[in-house]
Amino acid sequence: AINVVGTNVRDCEAVGGGSTCYASGNVAYSIVHDGPYPVRNHGGGLYDAPLFRGRVERARALAAERYLTNPLSGADRGLIDPYLRRELVGRPLSGTYTLRIWDDPALAWSNVEDVQLLLQYRYWTRQE
């Protein structure tokens, strides 16, 4: 999930207000995961996993004017859960990520302070 942080990130007055603008605390984004995808094998060596490009297109990012806490609080979990995506599940964490936040007339870029990526990631460790 993606969280766009800042004060007044969505400026509904700039687009003439309207209930739909005020009701949507999100912005559209796309993310691409490119290789190479080196992963550590059981022997401890690196292996370039032959994967296709990972992609999430025109998803919604949270823009609720707050940072997500670590560990994730119950309030934060309630806000971000509807924005969790599963398209990249099972892919290695390594690689190059390109995030594109789509332009929106109500998005005030000058008010964006930070972008958080929430990853629900598991890994395995070699056991002797």
Side-chain angles (χ1 to χ4, degrees):
I2 307 290
N3 180 32
V4 179
V5 182
T7 304
N8 296 323
V9 170
R10 293 192 48 81
D11 183 6
C12 292
E13 297 300 320
V15 294
S19 60
T20 57
C21 180
Y22 289 111
S24 64
N26 58 66
V27 294
Y29 76 92
S30 295
I31 191 166
V32 174
H33 183 209
D34 281 317
Y37 310 102
V39 294
R40 205 154 292 280
N41 64 20
H42 184 70
L46 287 178
Y47 168 73
D48 280 332
L51 296 176
F52 57 89
R53 173 184 276 184
R55 182 182 304 269
V56 177
E57 288 289 339
R58 298 293 287 193
R60 306 307 277 168
L62 178 64
E65 300 189 6
R66 65 183 285 159
Y67 280 96
L68 300 176
T69 59
N70 185 14
L72 205 56
S73 70
D76 289 341
R77 169 82 50 204
L79 284 172
I80 200 69
D81 269 352
Y83 299 96
L84 290 174
R85 303 297 297 223
R86 301 198 42 85
E87 288 94 328
L88 302 179
V89 168
R91 298 178 66 85
L93 191 57
S94 61
T96 302
Y97 295 85
T98 305
L99 175 67
R100 177 180 183 177
I101 298 177
W102 291 87
D103 196 18
D104 177 339
L107 178 61
W109 281 104
S110 60
N111 295 341
V112 174
E113 298 170 13
D114 204 353
V115 176
Q116 290 180 295
L117 280 68
L118 174 68
L119 303 174
Q120 293 183 335
Y121 187 74
R122 294 186 199 187
Y123 62 94
W124 63 270
T125 303
R126 177 180 174 181
Q127 302 293 317
E128 297 294 331

